[in-house]
Every structure is written in structure tokens, then in C-alpha cells.
Amino acid sequence: GEYADDGSEKPTILIYGHYDVQPPDPLEQWVNNPFEPLIKDGYIFARGASDMKGQLMIIISAIQAIQSNGSLPVNLKFMIEGEEEIGSPSIKSFLEENKDLFKADFVLNLDAGMIAKDKPTIVYGLRGLAYFEIHVYGPDHDLHSGLFGGIVYNPIQALAELIAGMKNKQGQIQLPGFYEDVLLIDEEERISLSGLNQGKEYFINQTGVKSLWGEQGYEPVELIGARPTLDINGIISGHVAEGPKTVIPSKAMAKISMRLVPNQ
């Protein structure tokens, strides 16, 4: 969509957002139905309310507020998509085919949040994402551990060793060359980040853990925005249903994501 006010000479902002959301699983952990918005203590609880249907509503309300008090000082274009959570596979070709349609002076990405409801926030950088699956194969079919246990390299064991070797005890990622091109934050940025008052207790309260863990030498607020990460998002292998089944699985798989910083 687009909105041009009374002059084409005004700068043009391209506003980006998305309306698709993450899968709702596990459903049993929801207090309310994720597909039915619930208003509680002045907040809307629903699937995708903060990522990012809420931001789309906020920008529309902001534009209406400006218009009710005069004219917009800029022209507006909107790109609101439904593929962000799966990597936006259609956007690249769509933009290349419609360059003039999306021509703008700068882009405003709504896909971020505020530190607190009383602290307006400008997010000037977001980490990228690389997502992988690792598949490990062993015997050509599942085996009985009573008959073959002890002579076959269990794919779960192999996968666990691979994963364990990806980080050391200091939280540093051990993949060769991983940090080579990482852009370091400067002292001015560290000072700015420290002024956000997001110390260890802030994140302990946010996450429900008893203590934090991560790459040594950096404050938590630096680790969540300015340092790259590697996380295991899921492991699938063998028998995981209720009850015993003494199986040596024929394969194992892990899902891994990396949050990437500038120059990586």
C-alpha cells in the first residue's frame, strides 16, 4: 500500500512488517486459546500479538494521530508480508520485479519492541539468522540394545558429542572461523547499552532461570544483541513416547540456529 500526501517532493518511508506468526505449539501450555485474543490487565494476549500484529496496529494508529493534527511530513509506502517466519522466500524476486513500486528514501522496520511501556526505544540493529539441520545415520534399521548394544555407535551418542563440541565451557562457539569477521562493539556502544539498566537480575526475572550462562567477557545486554549465538532448537531420535523401548535408533537429527552479527 502507499499514501502520498500533498507533495511528491517529500521524503518517502517504506514501512515493513509481517502478519504471520510462530507455530502455537505446545498448545497444552497456553492458559487461554491462542486463537482467541484475551484482554487482561490492559494487555492483549494472543498468538502473534507482539510479533507482530501489535506493531502493525500501532503504526496505523500513529499515522491516524498525526493526520488528525495536520498533514504528514512524509510520503508512505507499506510492505506487509505473510512469509517472514519461514524466511520470506518470495520477497527477493518480488522486490527485483517491482523496484519502482518500493523506491523509498529509507525503510522503517516495525519488527522490534520497546524495553518498557514507559521507555520509547529505537532499535538500530538486528541480528541475522542461519538455520540448519544435522542428520546422523548409523545402522540401516533400528536395533535391539540387548542384542547389539555395545558394538554399534549410537547415532544419538554421536549427535550429542557433535553438539557438545560446538561450545566450550566459557560459552565460546568452537566452529572454525566462526568469529573471524565479527564486528566488535565499541566503547560508546557498550556505555549506551549499560544505560538501559538491563543487568543480570532483569534477564533472570524475564526467563525464570536461577542464573545466566553465556560467552564470558560480555554483559548480558551485549550478548543478546551484539554477539553471535549458536542454539540447539530441537532433537529428534529414537523412542520418545511413554514407556520403555530399548532401541538403538538408526538415525538422529538436530535443529540448530545461529544469530549472526554484522560482517559474518
Side-chain angles (χ1 to χ4, degrees), residues 178-227:
F178 188 81
Y179 294 108
E180 278 184 7
D181 298 319
V182 169
L183 181 66
L184 299 176
I185 55 174
D186 58 32
E187 190 59 28
E188 183 180 358
E189 288 177 302
R190 299 192 85 160
I191 293 172
S192 295
L193 288 170
S194 67
L196 300 179
N197 297 319
Q198 291 183 321
K200 291 182 179 180
E201 289 301 318
Y202 173 85
F203 291 106
I204 288 173
N205 293 333
Q206 288 261 318
T207 59
V209 298
K210 294 182 179 180
S211 63
L212 300 181
W213 184 91
E215 185 184 4
Q216 293 184 8
Y218 298 90
E219 294 299 317
V221 70
E222 298 169 0
L223 291 174
I224 64 164
R227 295 296 293 168

Side-chain angles (χ1 to χ4, degrees), residues 25 47 54 73 79 89 96 109 114 156 181 185-186 209 211 222 234 253:
D25 307 294
R47 182 171 174 234
M79 171 184 270
E96 288 173 346
N109 180 4
M114 287 169 55
I156 299 178
D181 298 319
I185 55 174
D186 58 32
V209 298
S211 63
E222 298 169 0
M253 184 270 280

Side-chain angles (χ1 to χ4, degrees), residues 15-262:
I15 296 173
Y16 169 85
H18 68 91
Y19 53 81
D20 61 321
V21 296
Q22 284 280 312
D25 307 294
L27 290 172
E28 67 273 7
Q29 293 187 16
W30 282 81
V31 177
N32 55 290
N33 187 332
F35 300 100
E36 295 178 5
L38 172 70
I39 298 178
K40 181 180 178 182
D41 299 328
Y43 292 92
I44 298 176
F45 293 85
R47 182 171 174 234
S50 63
D51 187 14
M52 60 167 292
K53 294 179 173 66
Q55 291 95 318
L56 298 180
M57 294 303 300
I58 287 169
I59 196 69
I60 292 172
S61 296
I63 292 168
Q64 290 174 332
I66 294 170
Q67 287 180 313
S68 68
N69 289 281
S71 61
L72 285 166
V74 295
N75 296 320
L76 299 173
K77 292 183 178 181
F78 301 86
M79 171 184 270
I80 313 298
E81 63 146 329
E83 292 186 335
E84 195 272 348
E85 299 291 4
I86 59 170
S88 306
S90 302
I91 274 197
K92 187 174 185 293
S93 59
F94 188 70
L95 286 174
E96 288 173 346
E97 295 167 5
N98 298 277
K99 289 181 180 179
D100 290 338
L101 187 63
F102 291 100
K103 186 177 181 181
D105 294 285
F106 63 94
V107 177
L108 173 62
N109 180 4
L110 305 179
D111 197 359
M114 287 169 55
I115 296 170
K117 63 182 180 180
D118 59 346
K119 292 183 179 179
T121 307
I122 296 175
V123 179
Y124 70 88
L126 293 170
R127 292 183 293 190
L129 175 66
Y131 198 92
F132 301 91
E133 291 184 2
I134 293 181
H135 294 258
V136 177
Y137 299 93
D140 60 7
H141 61 283
D142 290 352
L143 301 176
H144 191 295
S145 67
L147 296 174
F148 300 101
I151 65 167
V152 172
Y153 196 1
N154 189 317
I156 299 178
Q157 176 76 28
L159 181 60
E161 291 172 2
L162 277 171
I163 291 171
M166 292 181 183
K167 289 182 182 176
N168 62 19
K169 293 184 178 180
Q170 288 73 47
Q172 296 165 328
I173 297 163
Q174 299 298 288
L175 303 185
F178 188 81
Y179 294 108
E180 278 184 7
D181 298 319
V182 169
L183 181 66
L184 299 176
I185 55 174
D186 58 32
E187 190 59 28
E188 183 180 358
E189 288 177 302
R190 299 192 85 160
I191 293 172
S192 295
L193 288 170
S194 67
L196 300 179
N197 297 319
Q198 291 183 321
K200 291 182 179 180
E201 289 301 318
Y202 173 85
F203 291 106
I204 288 173
N205 293 333
Q206 288 261 318
T207 59
V209 298
K210 294 182 179 180
S211 63
L212 300 181
W213 184 91
E215 185 184 4
Q216 293 184 8
Y218 298 90
E219 294 299 317
V221 70
E222 298 169 0
L223 291 174
I224 64 164
R227 295 296 293 168
T229 67
L230 185 152
D231 285 295
I232 313 303
N233 305 120
I235 296 177
I236 301 173
S237 186
H239 177 69
V240 294
E242 286 190 34
K245 185 179 181 183
T246 55
V247 62
I248 298 174
S250 63
K251 57 186 176 181
M253 184 270 280
K255 292 177 179 285
I256 298 175
S257 65
M258 302 175 186
R259 296 291 171 172
L260 306 178
V261 297

